[in-house]
Structures are given as C-alpha cells and as structure tokens.
Amino acid sequence: MLTAVLSGFGGAIAAPWLHRVTPRYAGWIAALLPFALMIYFISLIPAVAGGAALRFSYAWVPSLGVDLSFRIDGLSLLFALLITGIGTLVLIYAGGYLANDPMLGRMLTLLLIFMAAMLGIVTSDNLISLFVFWELTTISSYLLIGYKHEYEKARKAALQSLLVTGIGGLALLAGIVLLGLAAGTLEISEMLTRGDVVRAHPLYGGILALVLFGAFTKSAQFPFHFWLPGAMEAPTPVSSYLHSATMVKAGVFLLARLNPVLGGTEAWQLLLTSFGSATMIAGAFLAVQQTDLKRILAYTTVSALGTLVTLIGIGTDDALKAAMVFTLSHALYKGALFQVAGSIDHETGTRDIARLGGLRAAMPITAAAGMLAAISMAGLPPMFGFIAKEVQYKANLEEPILIGVALLTNILTVVAAGLASVRVFFGQPVPTPKQAHEPPLSMRLGPVALALSGLGIGLFSIQIGNALIGPATGSVIGKTKEIELLLWAGIEGAAGQALALSVITLIVGIGLYRASSVFGRLAAATAPLAPWGAEGWYQRLLNGMLALATWQTRMLQNGYLRFYVGLIIATTLVLTTLTLIAGQVAFSIPADWADVRIYELIVALLILSATLFVIRTTSRLAAVVGLGFVGYGIALAFLLFSGPDLAITQFAVETLFAILFVLVIYRLPRFNNLSTAGSRLRSAALAIAGGALMTILTLAALETPTESRVSEFLAENSVPQGFGRNVVNVILVDFRALDTMGEVVVLGLAAIGIFALLRLQLGTESRARDDAIDGRDGLIDADNGAQGEHVDTTGVQQVN
C-alpha cells in the first residue's frame, strides 16, 4: 500500500526525462502509472465492500506519536478511485493540450506530485502525515496554477490560492494538535472511536473552529470562495483535475472523515449548513452571470462544494449518503465539462460564450460528450446526476429553509448547464478566431469517458451503490450502512416529493435560461459593487499587510548596527524580566566569598579593566586589543573552572576575531565620535541592565538543582554511540549534527551572498570605469574630428 500511495513521486521524477525521450506520447505513457493504481484500488473493492479496512503503518517519529500510516476504507477508496481514474484521463489530456509546449514535462511532474499528495491525504491514518500531504497539495497547486508564470494574472492567481489555502493550513495544523491532545491519539482510526470524548472536551470549540477554517479555505467556502474562479488562469488540465474532482474536495473529505469525531453537535450543524448554504447560493448566482466557460464551471463548482458541506452538516444518514453520491456525480460531469471547455478554447481560440455557437457540426464528438455531462449537471435522467439531485432533495425535505436553498441552487445550476452546453453547441454557427474542428484523440478521450461513466453509473446505480457509495457512507457515519440507489424510486412518499421538486427545477431552470440575458444586465448593474466583495476585502487585507511590512521594515531595518543590537538586548530584557516576575524565580547573592582564589579575582579584574578600556579608548586598534584581553580573560576563566575544551575554543575564536578586526579596521577611516552624550547614556543604561539581567539569571541558575538526565546520557553515550571522548565535540558533530549542519549551511549561504554582492559591486565599478573611459575617448574623438573638419575647411579655402 505504501508503494501504491507514494509511487506518484517516483513517476514525477521520471516525467521530464519521459518528455524528452518521447514528447509525442509522454502523456499516454505517464498515464500508465495512475491507471495501474486505479486497477489496484479497484481490486480492493470486494474487501472494502465486505466491511474490511486495510491498514499499513510505519513508525516515523514514534516519540511524538507520528506514524506514516495508511488506511483504506470506503471513504478513502471512493476518493482514491476518483484521483487515479480522473488523473489517468487528465494526464492523457495534458499530453494533447500542451503537445507543443516545451514545458510539458514540468506539467506532468507537477500533476503526478499532486496526485501522490492527494492519495496521501485520503489514505492517511495519522493526522500529522495527512497535514504533510495537505500542504504538498497547496504547494503543487500553487505551481500548477502559476504554470504560465510569464503572465501576471497567473502569478497573481497562484499567490492568491497559496495565501488563502496556506493560512487555512496553519489553522488546520493548530486544530490537529489540539485534536490530538483531546483524543489522546493522532491515529484517525483510533480517534473515530473516541468521538464522545472529543465532543465533551473543553477544547472542542477551538478545535472545531480551527479545523473548519482549514477545510473551508481549501474547499472554497464563502467567504473564501473567490480564489477558485481566479485559479482558472491555470491550463485546462489543471482546472479539470484540481478544481473539479480533487484538491477542492480535500476540505470536504476532511469534514467527512472527521464527522464521527466532531459531528453531531449543534455548533457543527449550524456552522456547516450556514456556510454551505451561503456558498451554494453565491456560487450558483455568480455562475449564471459569467460569459467565460471556465468561470461558469468554476462558480458552479463553488456551489457544488457548498452543497457537499451542507449535506455533511445536516448529518443524517440520508444526507451523508447524498454527499457521497453527489461527490462522485460532480467529479464525473465537472471533469468532463472542464475538458470540453479546454477543447473548445484550444480549437476555436476563445471560450467566451458570447463568441461561440453552433459548434456541434464542427465538433460532434466533443459536443456529444459535453451535452451528456451537462445533462448530468442539470440532473436529468438517466444520468447519475439525476440520482444525485433526487437524494439531495430527499435529505433536505425535513428542513424548509434548506430545501428552498437547494431548489434555488439547482434551478440556477440548470441555467449554468445550458449556458455551458446548449449556448455553445446549438444555434447558428458563429465565426471564431480559429477554424473550429475536433481536437486530437488524447483530448477527446477524457470527456467521452467521463460523460459515459456518468451515464453508465446512472443505469447501474444499484451495483455502484453496493460497491462504492454504501461503504463510503458507512465510513462517514461511523457504522456499516446498506443503501439502495435507484434510477426510478417511484412517485410515493419522499421519492414523489423529490421528483416533484426535480420537475419544478427543470421547468423554472429552462425558463430562466431562455431569459438568461437578464443575468448579463444584472452583472453589469452590480459590477460597481465588486470591489466590496470578498475578493476586494482580500486585496485590502493583502495591501494592508504589505504596507505594515514596509513600515515595520523601515522602522526596524534602518541600517544602524547599534540599533539592531540595542533592540535585541531591550527585547530580551523586557521579555525575560516579565518571565522572571511571572514565574516568581528566586535568587540570592552568595554571602560567603572565602573560597574565591586570588588568581580568580585577578582574572575578573583583568576582564573588567579591559572592558572599561574598550569603552574609553579612541583608537580602534587599541579597542581590538582590549576586546582581545576580555576574550582571553574569559578563556582563562573557563580553564580555571575545568573547561579546557571551551578554553581552547575561546582562544581560537578570539585570535581569529582579532585578526579579522585588524584587517577590517585597516580599511576604515579614522576614529570619530559621532554619538551624542544622550545616546551614550542610553547605551550605557541598556548595557548595565543587560549585564544585571545576565547576573540575575546566573544566580537563579545556581539556585536550581543541577541533576540532569541529559548530562548523564551524553557522558555515558559519548564513546559507545558518538565514538569520541570529547563530549562537547560529540554533541556538536553527532548528537546535534543537524543543528551544526544547519549553522554551517547558513554561514555558507551568507558567504555566497557576500561574494555575490562583492562581485556585483566590482562589476558595477568596472562598468562605471569603462563608461568613463569610453566617454573620455568619445570626447577626444569628437575633439579630433572637430579639429580635422577645421583643417579640411581651411585647406579647401586655400585651394579655392
């Protein structure tokens, strides 16, 4: 299982090479990996449908309870099949859509990384590992949305997606940590059995708020919905994969996965149904005002995500079943429609529905796939979308407000489906920037396969219900659940009411489609209000954050080293003093000085005298010598108190610093006293306060018992594990090797930066010198030319 989940990362490494070797078939060959994974997950259906949950665990950070564990149950299997199945078709589609793009290998790499990360999310059985994969989807989606990085809109959309989902990810991490504390475990399979403990815990409110914030930002819930339509700047393969079937449903998956743990409370139900309903209406209402095909589909995706969140919030068995049915239905028809929109744009040069029409003659196969998908989106039989709409209505029948929200949303969805299909493929042909024609096979396969899947699942819904929907619903409910999905459920009871609502939806939706021009006028009328929408406030917050950062940088990074040092000392002084006061830390001044040796006192006086000398001297070289005395005095103190290793290190460091100081001072101008008396007094007060604080900390440390298990461990294991008798050296290069390596890397990077700046300065000076020489030569040439012209003129006059 581990190999299956993580194999996408290996495929991502090979994708660029594959594109270089076989650019024409790179997409087809890359698609073999997700196709093989899909076959593997299909082979697990019988076991999972029988109630089994397959689990694999590898100890990752056992001391923190973090394991790299994976679990396949009904919910994760449903999502894994969507990720790998649609991923197969998207990779093939990308190979055709970006056939002439030299960066196709990069696109395939990012898509495979994203696929592996999504598989990690849906199969993880540990919340920390789930979060790691969660953030991998954030990073990979940022790179995918910004694929056309030469365009400002693409860069802006990628950054917007990263900021919104990244902030949500930070909140989710905090929620995960608190949830682990409340449940006593980070393993999801164990946590699912402790829902009562978590819901009764005092931290439940904070956990719920943080987890929902992370899920809402990821799944584009109101008021965070604006980033999803903006992400349509990404190429169509990205939109088809990330923004219909996978990434945007990660938040929905998380809510479904944690429903047995966090669900069932009034707060859960109120928050999810409120935000979900607002997202449903806002997404559908904004969708019908668009003229760009991808933005129409993006806003209807926002609306669909709101529907899923609302159904999970309702929390009944019927509602959770409807959520699983709608998850599968939406992924199939929306993935197909996105690819159809990309094919239209690719072959006509536009995706503006005002400039499209009558394409069924030029693109019959694409038109057939698009119409089938649109019929499923509108909820018409015999498509699977019809069943999804019916079970959705049944789940809302007991809530009058929610049934009204669902009815209005579905009516507007019918209008959007008509705009994305009937408006484009029927009517009189409209001249397009490019001569319309069918796309290549690689771009036809995906829409046709997904649309036919929606038809086939609708016709064989009973079998799909038993194999996929039932186990997935049982995982969300927290118990085994047998369900029955029927294409025709009759006209009695709840089925009849749902059917009546479907008829109303269709009739009103068709009527509004025929009058869809009113939505265009409405969009124009409300355009002045756009800056006050959610995206406008996001931009204001971003601009405010940048302004604050500019002000803060200007204030703190003013270029004066003494200011930086003073600020660090002052901050440390204030925070440490508050901590000492709050913690009521005790200390006392030693009363017995009898054991102080005369040579120890001499060393201390030497250090103090050298310090005063450094303060008072007006010679830089003398100051360096004085600092050397201070450093060597401290080294002597280390030596006197049984620290020869530290003393040797101190001697070496002081010698090196003295040499470096002398080399630097040699190039500095003569010493000048530029500070005022007031600034010197402030510096003295700050220095004295800092010294007093360090003295107090030292005295407080002497009051603390010195027993330490760490010291004993290091001393006992220095030779057997670190193979060294010098404990300090073993700590630096063995026990804390990563810390040391990090410090070395930082110093190396700083050295590279300094070298680059020096080279830049030398290059600038060299160019300036060359320009000066060229200018001087030009003036000489001009002067010589003027003299030559004068001589020639004189000569001519003499000849004449």
Side-chain angles (χ1 to χ4, degrees), residues 764-782:
T764 303
E765 293 176 353
S766 177
R767 285 192 297 272
R769 185 168 56 252
D770 293 342
D771 292 341
I773 293 173
D774 292 341
R776 184 179 61 192
D777 292 343
L779 290 174
I780 293 173
D781 293 341

Side-chain angles (χ1 to χ4, degrees), residues 500-537:
L501 291 172
S502 294
V503 172
I504 295 173
T505 300
L506 182 61
I507 293 174
V508 178
I510 292 175
L512 288 178
Y513 169 75
R514 295 180 63 87
S516 58
S517 58
V518 69
F519 295 113
R521 293 193 296 271
L522 181 61
T526 57
L529 300 177
W532 298 99
E535 187 170 9
W537 285 107

Side-chain angles (χ1 to χ4, degrees), residues 262-540:
L262 301 177
T265 64
E266 292 184 4
W268 171 273
Q269 183 176 12
L270 177 63
L271 290 173
L272 266 66
T273 54
S274 299
F275 281 94
S277 298
T279 307
M280 290 170 65
I281 296 176
F285 183 70
L286 291 171
V288 296
Q289 300 180 41
Q290 309 301 313
T291 58
D292 183 294
L293 269 175
K294 286 180 67 175
R295 290 184 69 84
I296 293 173
L297 299 176
Y299 276 113
T300 54
T301 298
V302 170
S303 180
L305 294 170
T307 299
L308 290 170
V309 170
T310 301
L311 291 171
I312 295 174
I314 294 173
T316 62
D317 291 358
D318 287 340
L320 296 175
K321 178 184 76 172
M324 296 301 101
V325 172
F326 191 65
T327 295
L328 177 58
S329 169
H330 177 263
L332 295 177
Y333 72 68
K334 193 57 66 67
L337 286 173
F338 265 118
Q339 293 186 20
V340 167
S343 297
I344 292 172
D345 186 23
H346 193 272
E347 307 306 336
T348 66
T350 182
R351 57 176 190 253
D352 187 348
I353 61 174
R355 303 173 62 189
L356 295 169
L359 290 179
R360 71 183 186 283
M363 307 174 69
I365 299 176
T366 302
M371 288 305 301
L372 275 177
I375 289 172
S376 184
M377 178 177 172
L380 297 178
M383 305 299 294
F384 191 52
F386 171 74
I387 299 176
K389 185 177 62 177
E390 293 290 293
V391 295
Q392 177 194 354
Y393 277 144
K394 290 178 184 178
N396 288 305
L397 285 176
E398 296 181 1
E399 300 289 341
I401 296 177
L402 295 181
I403 200 67
V405 171
L407 182 62
L408 176 59
T409 299
N410 287 329
I411 288 172
L412 294 175
T413 301
V414 171
V415 178
L419 294 174
S421 58
V422 178
R423 176 71 61 86
V424 173
F425 295 116
F426 290 88
Q428 295 297 320
V430 177
T432 54
K434 293 169 58 177
Q435 181 64 38
H437 57 85
E438 281 287 7
L441 175 62
S442 57
M443 295 175 64
R444 297 196 304 268
L445 179 62
V448 171
L450 291 172
L452 289 179
S453 296
L455 175 61
I457 294 176
L459 295 174
F460 296 96
S461 58
I462 296 178
Q463 291 80 1
I464 296 298
N466 294 331
L468 287 179
I469 305 302
T473 305
S475 298
V476 180
I477 295 174
K479 60 183 179 181
T480 304
K481 178 70 175 178
E482 294 184 3
I483 66 170
E484 187 178 40
L485 287 182
L486 298 175
L487 183 61
W488 175 253
I491 58 174
E492 297 180 355
Q497 297 177 46
L499 181 61
L501 291 172
S502 294
V503 172
I504 295 173
T505 300
L506 182 61
I507 293 174
V508 178
I510 292 175
L512 288 178
Y513 169 75
R514 295 180 63 87
S516 58
S517 58
V518 69
F519 295 113
R521 293 193 296 271
L522 181 61
T526 57
L529 300 177
W532 298 99
E535 187 170 9
W537 285 107
Y538 156 81
Q539 195 61 49
R540 289 185 184 89

Side-chain angles (χ1 to χ4, degrees), residues 43 233 589 597 647 718:
S43 69
E233 294 296 330
I589 299 176
R597 304 293 186 267
S718 177

